[in-house]
Amino acid sequence: MARPILFAVDDDVSVLEAVVGDLRRKYAQEYRIVRAASGQAALDTCDQLKTRGDAVALFLSDQRMPGMTGVDFLSQAMGLYPDAKRVLLTAYADTEAAIRAINTARIHYYLNKPWDPPEDKLYPVLDDLLFSWHQGYKPPYEGLQVVGTRWGSKDHAVRDFLSRNHVSFRWLNPDTQPEALELLKSRGLDDAKLPVVVFSDGTSAVQPTQMELAGKIGLRVQAEKEHYDLVVVGAGPAGLAGAVYGASEGLRTLVVEPDAVGGQAGSSSRIENYLGFPDGVSGDELARRGFVQAQRLGAEFLTQRVTKIRVEDQYRFVTMGDGRDVSCSAVLLATGVSWCKLDVPGGDELVGAGVYYGAAQSEAQSCKDEEVFVVGGANSAGQAAMNFARYARKVTMLVRGKGLAQSMSQYLIDQIAGTPNITVETGTEITRFCGTDHLQGIELRTPNGTDNRAATSVFIFIGAAPKTEWLPTEVARDDRGFVLAGPDLKRVGVDRMGDRNPYLLETSVPGIFVAGDVRHGSVKRAASAVGEGSIAIQFVHQYLAGF
């Protein structure tokens, strides 16, 4: 960030040099020192500084200057920099005029010439004024900025991707913040196509893709090597555990994740039944710790989407979304599951514009003082309800079943019951989403008939699907798409792989393993996924030893 400016103005070159010299001796480390030999020249420079967005902390101007007095200059400079401190340099004979200027021109202080020694007569005055200026000064934001509306699906996708990858940014909504349009205008853009992302290096991107964002924010999008011992597909709890154990045991390990480390568990606001965290831990924090640990042990992380896996002899080739291939000796599938869509009228059109699947932490603060609806009755829905209750005026949980006990942990049920702004409505489901450019209402089927509610934000947690259609047909799955492994392969006729039985977490394709929620019959809990991801590495070693 550019340093604030101390601006000295005097038509007498020798006096100006003396002022600048004294300022530099004391303040050069924290401020830039700018000079001008006349009031008009100083105003012209101020125009340029203002255009560049530079901050002026203090003006120090001589009073007796031809063409424009110091008081006149400081009065006009106040229009450009109203918060800057204004100091007038005067001869002893001009003291009375300087005192009047304090009242009429809102000058903060005057100093008689000469001011020697500056340690006694100059610096204490300026120190007090600069301290006061800093109290009210807000440095210009120089980090990443997102210009977008609250209700655009593309706008939401950008904010959500950045939030889940722990990238700090400032969101400017052109509907409510004029500075958003000013930022676009300064870069020759308009609000016809949003979102626009302005990066800290001054470049910008209009409606960027996820991969474009990943490259700009420093995520790796290309693998370092052509071959790895192990490629882990997915960076949820199972994938992170596989990465930690694989890397720690000497396997050259690559983890490929298209969205953000942590998977669905990463969006959980508080997991209170995970071993070793008596006060609970957020899914985001758990994922962050796993990511740091895996990296420290040597695992490499890649932000890409895997689109295909093929087998050639003892090699497995993993194809990325950009078309590049990475070869490996073994693959661990840890892709987790995705939320099932609510198949009711209006739902598809309003995704990201008031209808959200998952916790959508990026939207939580936008819901301040509003009513939020959470659809679902399992742990993820309960954790989300507790999180949104911190911001929203009211959280209404819509549960199709008879209650929460069937699918939610008791500790969450107790917390929800003790939170006054959470209401649970059982036997209730949404039958229609209403709205044009964003969600405005919902239609409900309740035990008492139908009901219409005003709504702007609905967060949906209604079961999960494995999304495994991209896998090769040789990888056996059940009728819902969950991957079969180990003893479960018998149902599709895979009893042996040559001269051996399938390993416990090995799929129907030798050398391709599975762990976590995407596996058929898995326990849908973070701790269980971590356990499977870690023990899968044992079987990877056994497989590699058989080469």
Side-chain angles (χ1 to χ4, degrees):
M1 184 178 68
R3 290 171 294 168
I5 290 169
L6 306 183
F7 203 141
V9 187
D10 200 309
D11 66 308
D12 187 321
V13 176
S14 61
V15 174
L16 184 60
E17 287 296 331
V19 172
V20 169
D22 286 341
L23 292 178
R24 282 179 174 163
R25 274 195 302 276
K26 170 74 171 177
Y27 302 108
Q29 294 298 316
E30 299 178 52
Y31 301 89
R32 287 181 292 158
I33 313 302
V34 175
R35 70 179 79 190
S38 71
Q40 187 56 56
L43 288 175
D44 293 341
T45 301
C46 284
D47 283 330
Q48 298 171 16
L49 296 173
K50 190 73 174 179
T51 300
R52 292 205 305 258
D54 292 325
V56 176
L58 180 140
F59 291 106
L60 185 61
S61 175
D62 185 52
Q63 165 63 3
R64 290 192 179 185
M65 296 187 295
M68 183 182 296
T69 68
V71 171
D72 290 339
F73 161 69
L74 293 173
S75 297
Q76 294 187 52
M78 184 170 58
L80 293 169
Y81 287 99
D83 297 324
K85 300 302 179 181
R86 297 173 290 280
V87 178
L88 190 67
L89 285 177
T90 68
Y92 183 78
D94 296 325
T95 299
E96 187 176 343
I99 293 173
R100 287 200 303 270
I102 290 176
N103 297 321
T104 60
R106 297 170 64 185
I107 292 170
H108 296 99
Y109 210 89
Y110 76 90
L111 290 170
N112 285 326
K113 297 186 290 187
W115 55 86
D116 290 331
E119 289 77 11
D120 294 337
K121 297 184 178 181
L122 178 66
Y123 298 151
V125 172
L126 299 191
D127 285 347
D128 286 345
L129 292 173
L130 292 172
F131 177 80
S132 176
W133 179 80
H134 272 288
Q135 292 297 102
Y137 173 60
K138 291 184 179 179
Y141 183 83
E142 295 188 342
L144 190 148
Q145 301 178 86
V146 177
V147 180
T149 66
R150 177 180 176 183
W151 304 118
S153 59
K154 292 180 179 178
D155 307 68
H156 162 70
V158 165
R159 296 195 305 274
D160 195 53
F161 181 76
L162 294 173
S163 297
R164 295 183 63 197
N165 282 284
H166 310 105
V167 177
S168 298
F169 65 94
R170 182 173 70 157
W171 172 34
L172 296 173
N173 187 342
D175 294 336
T176 58
Q177 296 168 283
E179 58 264 42
L181 297 175
E182 294 174 7
L183 180 63
L184 294 176
K185 185 178 179 181
S186 69
R187 284 158 174 77
L189 302 170
D190 56 37
D191 60 348
K193 287 187 176 181
L194 295 177
V196 170
V197 180
V198 179
F199 301 98
S200 55
D201 62 2
T203 61
S204 58
V206 178
Q207 296 183 344
T209 65
Q210 196 160 290
M211 287 301 102
E212 288 173 334
L213 276 178
K216 287 292 292 186
I217 64 178
L219 300 177
R220 187 180 296 280
V221 295
Q222 293 184 24
E224 288 185 349
K225 305 177 183 69
E226 293 184 357
H227 181 81
Y228 295 83
D229 297 319
L230 172 67
V231 170
V232 180
V233 186
L240 289 171
V244 166
Y245 279 84
S248 67
E249 295 176 15
L251 299 179
R252 289 172 298 176
T253 302
L254 175 69
V255 184
V256 187
E257 166 60 47
D259 299 313
V261 169
Q264 279 192 12
S267 64
S268 296
S269 58
R270 181 65 50 179
I271 303 171
E272 299 202 35
N273 56 358
Y274 195 90
L275 182 67
F277 293 89
D279 296 324
V281 61
S282 71
D284 181 70
E285 174 66 11
L286 193 65
R288 187 190 65 79
R289 287 171 178 252
F291 170 68
V292 172
Q293 186 177 20
Q295 276 199 318
R296 182 179 63 80
L297 292 168
E300 179 186 337
F301 284 78
L302 187 65
T303 301
Q304 281 284 358
R305 185 175 299 279
V306 175
T307 60
K308 186 167 57 176
I309 296 175
R310 72 179 191 275
V311 176
E312 294 183 11
D313 300 324
Q314 75 268 35
Y315 299 108
R316 281 87 188 97
F317 289 86
V318 179
T319 303
M320 309 298 168
D322 61 4
R324 292 183 173 89
D325 281 349
V326 170
S327 72
C328 59
S329 300
V331 175
L332 175 61
L333 300 175
T335 52
V337 290
S338 301
W339 296 114
C340 293
K341 286 196 172 183
L342 195 58
D343 188 18
V344 300
D348 291 342
E349 296 83 355
L350 295 172
V351 170
V355 176
Y356 307 100
Y357 288 90
Q361 296 293 331
S362 58
E363 303 301 322
Q365 295 190 31
S366 299
C367 300
K368 184 175 175 60
D369 298 327
E370 298 179 358
E371 181 174 5
V372 167
F373 291 86
V374 174
V375 181
N379 277 10
S380 296
Q383 290 162 352
M386 290 299 300
N387 182 49
F388 288 125
R390 297 162 51 201
Y391 305 96
R393 172 179 52 83
K394 180 180 179 182
V395 177
T396 300
M397 296 188 68
L398 305 177
V399 182
R400 186 172 58 178
K402 295 180 179 179
L404 299 176
Q406 296 171 296
S407 54
M408 187 178 293
S409 297
Q410 188 61 44
Y411 79 89
L412 267 175
I413 296 175
D414 294 340
Q415 288 181 356
I416 289 169
T419 305
N421 63 332
I422 297 181
T423 300
V424 179
E425 298 186 18
T426 58
T428 302
E429 54 187 320
I430 295 177
T431 56
R432 179 181 293 273
F433 293 104
C434 306
T436 51
D437 60 334
H438 69 276
L439 181 67
Q440 295 173 301
I442 53 177
E443 293 181 4
L444 302 177
R445 181 185 297 118
T446 74
N448 298 319
T450 59
D451 193 8
N452 294 308
R453 308 275 183 90
T456 55
S457 297
V458 174
F459 298 88
I460 301 169
F461 306 80
I462 55 164
K467 305 295 184 186
T468 54
E469 60 277 358
W470 60 275
L471 287 171
T473 55
E474 293 81 5
V475 176
R477 283 151 280 178
D478 65 16
D479 54 1
R480 297 177 58 198
F482 289 93
V483 178
L484 298 168
D488 292 322
L489 289 174
K490 289 184 179 180
R491 72 171 63 183
V492 292
V494 179
D495 292 320
R496 298 185 65 79
M497 293 177 173
D499 59 351
R500 66 175 177 84
N501 293 320
Y503 296 119
L504 181 62
L505 296 177
E506 191 174 21
T507 71
S508 54
V509 177
I512 298 181
F513 298 83
V514 62
D517 289 1
V518 72
R519 185 182 66 81
H520 167 82
S522 64
V523 178
K524 305 300 188 286
R525 291 289 187 268
S528 174
V530 168
E532 290 191 14
S534 60
I535 65 174
I537 302 305
Q538 172 189 348
F539 303 119
V540 170
H541 278 297
Q542 292 180 26
Y543 168 76
L544 295 178
F547 273 8

